[in-house]
Amino acid sequence: MRRLVGLVLLVLCAACASAGSAMADPYPVTNTDDSGAGSLRAAILAANSHTGADTIPIAATGTIELLGKLPQIEGDLAITGPGPASLTVKRDSAAGFFRIFEFNDGVTGSLTGMTVTGGSSGAGGGILNGSGSLTLTRVAVVGNEAVVEEVVSAATADGGGIRSAGPLTLRESVVSGNQATAREGLDVTAAGGAGIFAFGKLTIDRSTISGNVAKAVSDGGEIYVLGGGIDAIGEVKIERSTISGNSILADGAAATQASGGGIAGSKGELTSVTVTDNSASATEAFGANLFLPDEPIVSNTLVSESRGDADSCSGTYLSGGFNLDEDGSCEFDEGSDLNGVPAGLDPVLKDNGGPTPTHALLPGSVAIDRGSSFGSSVDQRGLPRPSDFPTIGNKEGGDGSDIGAFELQVPAGGTTTPPILVSAEARDKTPPRTRIVSGPARVGFERLAKFRFASNEPQSTFRCKVDHKRWRKCRSPYKVRVEPGKHFFRVRAIDRFGNADRTAARFSWRVKPVG
């Protein structure tokens, strides 16, 4: 009987060992060689030959310089490196054009702790994900490209950094300096998602999408660009993250269209996000920062510094409250929202602590303590939220959190007031007064109108409006070209505390047709 029990236990243990092996076999990477024993290439090949989920732990540090495309990843696999500052996986520029990582359809994959750079392909220059789910944690996807040129009918390039058909999740990661470029399609020339092009659900938390560029250039046909930082076809959820300095350009002899310098997408949710300094340039440009037409919910989000030919926002946004929109084009309509006021944001994206770069709030910013954490206990950097300054009044219903991804910290054991900051409410509640110093002739033939204007308060900024167009950030002197007919110009000053002139200065004039 004892021999029989022992035999049964032996069989059961063997089965357990076999099942454990099928669940997750480790294939460690011990060097930075392109191929051979201990290399990343060899580890992926070994994982592909094994049935079941596997792991590739990478102990090596330095740069894995690829002389050829890595094998496609065919089964569930987690690849874990020592950190983006310690390990880089890149394409040798002399070895031809290929992407870095490719995950097949149906695969559940993850990348952790590495930099992915130098990849080049028509779609998904750095990383291509099929219909399965992919998670990136503390990964830097930088300097990759999707390029398509001189295709007979259609030239389309997307996903310079990442292209994903299935669900994609980014945590504490950076997607920066990637490009999507399409040139000279005969019928269509299109580019999108220079940073990220996502068909499936896109989830981003405590990450930075910055400095990505999408371009479509052609002498004919349709020319359009979508999403400099992100082009999200499916649902998008972004929290505690920064979208900064991305751009889109559509250029050619025919009419061109560019939408969503920072992000273009459909439905979704943005909470505690900083969206700034993004650009859209084309004959028809929409949403330099945000182009999300399907009524996404936006909460505790800061939108500022639109560039190029478009207003900051295009689309209809459902405000969850506690947003700051610098040019007013997002049209947030909750009582806790701040519209048409300067954000007071450091224009330099840099290391302010934490795993990803951020834009800090400057002392005196009206975003300080005027938001809500919406249940989060940390900001993008991982620092406590809220960090509430007692001298600054909170918005009704708020908890003293700052608006956007960055939370200014109350010094431990020190002053409870931000440096050089006294509450804006305590210092100044008086709006500035705006005056138009000079303008064009009240009646004339000149189609180029030039205005000079001023505020009675120093360090004021201005918003201008011509006819029925939206308010836009402007400065004196301001020039605008108009068609013959009657026109109206309005300008209002906003002081450094965020008080806006309630009565804009006005000017009307009429341009007569020539001949």
Side-chain angles (χ1 to χ4, degrees):
M1 176 62 71
R2 288 181 180 178
R3 292 183 63 187
L4 179 61
V5 171
L7 181 61
V8 169
L9 290 175
L10 183 63
V11 170
L12 288 175
C13 288
C16 291
S18 176
S21 176
M23 288 180 62
D25 269 10
Y27 298 96
V29 174
T30 57
N31 59 58
T32 59
D33 295 345
D34 172 70
S35 61
S39 69
L40 176 59
R41 188 181 303 277
I44 293 175
L45 287 170
N48 284 345
S49 67
H50 175 257
T51 302
D54 299 299
T55 62
I56 296 180
I58 304 177
T61 59
T63 299
I64 299 175
E65 196 149 3
L66 301 175
L67 301 178
K69 181 181 177 181
L70 287 171
Q72 294 179 4
I73 295 168
E74 299 172 357
D76 295 353
L77 180 63
I79 304 176
T80 304
S86 300
L87 177 71
T88 297
V89 184
K90 67 173 293 189
R91 173 183 65 91
D92 185 324
S93 59
F97 299 97
F98 51 87
R99 67 176 60 91
I100 308 300
F101 288 105
E102 182 170 347
F103 293 81
N104 281 1
D105 287 345
V107 168
T108 297
S110 67
L111 295 174
T112 302
M114 67 186 69
T115 293
V116 177
T117 187
S120 181
S121 182
I127 300 169
L128 180 65
N129 179 49
S131 61
S133 64
L134 176 63
T135 299
L136 273 59
T137 304
R138 295 210 174 193
V139 173
V141 182
V142 299
N144 303 281
E145 63 180 8
V147 179
V148 176
E149 298 184 307
E150 299 182 4
V151 176
V152 174
S153 177
T156 60
D158 52 56
I162 306 167
R163 189 184 198 273
S164 180
L168 174 65
T169 299
L170 276 71
R171 300 190 181 100
E172 300 180 21
S173 293
V174 173
V175 179
S176 179
N178 303 285
Q179 296 186 35
T181 304
R183 297 183 185 275
E184 303 302 339
L186 296 179
D187 299 320
V188 176
T189 305
I196 301 169
F197 185 85
F199 279 101
K201 182 176 181 180
L202 175 63
T203 304
I204 299 175
D205 187 26
R206 296 181 58 195
S207 298
T208 295
I209 316 298
S210 67
N212 302 287
V213 180
K215 295 187 293 186
V217 181
S218 181
D219 290 330
E222 298 180 15
I223 306 165
Y224 61 91
V225 184
L226 285 166
I230 300 167
D231 186 4
I233 308 300
E235 182 181 353
V236 60
K237 183 175 182 179
I238 305 177
E239 298 179 290
R240 303 178 295 184
S241 296
T242 298
I243 302 172
S244 169
N246 305 283
S247 63
I248 51 178
L249 169 65
D251 188 24
T256 60
Q257 187 175 103
S259 303
I263 175 172
S266 53
K267 59 185 179 180
E269 186 176 349
L270 276 66
T271 305
S272 298
V273 181
T274 295
V275 188
T276 185
D277 197 36
N278 299 287
S279 171
S281 299
T283 55
E284 293 183 337
F286 306 94
N289 279 314
L290 296 175
F291 178 75
L292 297 165
D294 292 345
E295 298 186 339
I297 300 172
V298 183
S299 309
N300 203 61
T301 289
L302 186 155
V303 186
S304 71
E305 287 293 342
S306 60
R307 302 193 183 279
D309 301 323
D311 289 338
S312 189
C313 293
S314 180
T316 302
Y317 298 86
L318 301 179
S319 174
F322 305 98
N323 299 295
L324 189 156
D325 171 19
E326 201 170 57
D327 76 355
S329 63
C330 300
E331 299 182 353
F332 298 130
D333 57 5
E334 288 294 320
S336 57
D337 295 326
L338 298 170
N339 293 295
V341 299
L345 198 66
D346 185 346
V348 180
L349 181 69
K350 60 187 177 183
D351 181 1
N352 292 303
T356 52
T358 52
H359 288 278
L361 292 174
L362 298 173
S365 168
V366 296
I368 298 171
D369 283 11
R370 309 310 300 277
S372 172
S373 65
F374 285 91
S376 175
S377 61
V378 297
D379 70 354
Q380 180 174 338
R381 301 171 295 161
L383 297 182
R385 164 170 279 178
S387 183
D388 194 0
F389 290 88
T391 55
I392 301 177
N394 299 341
K395 277 282 188 179
E396 183 177 354
D399 59 9
S401 294
D402 300 344
I403 300 174
F406 180 94
E407 183 79 12
L408 187 64
Q409 301 294 300
V410 176
T415 177
T416 57
T417 303
I420 324 173
L421 175 66
V422 178
S423 167
E425 290 80 355
R427 292 180 63 173
D428 185 0
K429 295 182 180 180
T430 305
R433 294 190 303 274
T434 316
R435 66 187 180 94
I436 296 175
V437 178
S438 64
R442 294 287 183 176
V443 179
F445 296 97
E446 179 59 55
R447 294 175 59 185
L448 181 64
K450 181 178 180 180
F451 297 92
R452 293 186 182 274
F453 40 84
S455 168
N456 68 320
E457 292 193 27
Q459 301 181 40
S460 290
T461 58
F462 297 91
R463 298 293 185 274
C464 294
K465 182 179 177 71
V466 178
D467 297 335
H468 299 294
K469 295 181 179 179
R470 290 179 172 178
W471 288 97
R472 300 191 67 175
K473 189 175 182 179
C474 59
R475 63 179 62 184
S476 181
Y478 178 79
K479 297 179 182 180
V480 60
R481 186 175 293 276
V482 296
E483 297 295 326
K486 189 174 182 179
H487 298 281
F488 300 91
F489 172 75
R490 286 180 285 177
V491 58
R492 65 182 180 186
I494 301 166
D495 68 19
R496 61 195 180 102
F497 301 111
N499 301 304
D501 190 348
R502 297 188 183 95
T503 306
R506 300 167 180 264
F507 187 98
S508 63
W509 78 108
R510 185 163 64 90
V511 177
K512 299 170 66 176
V514 178

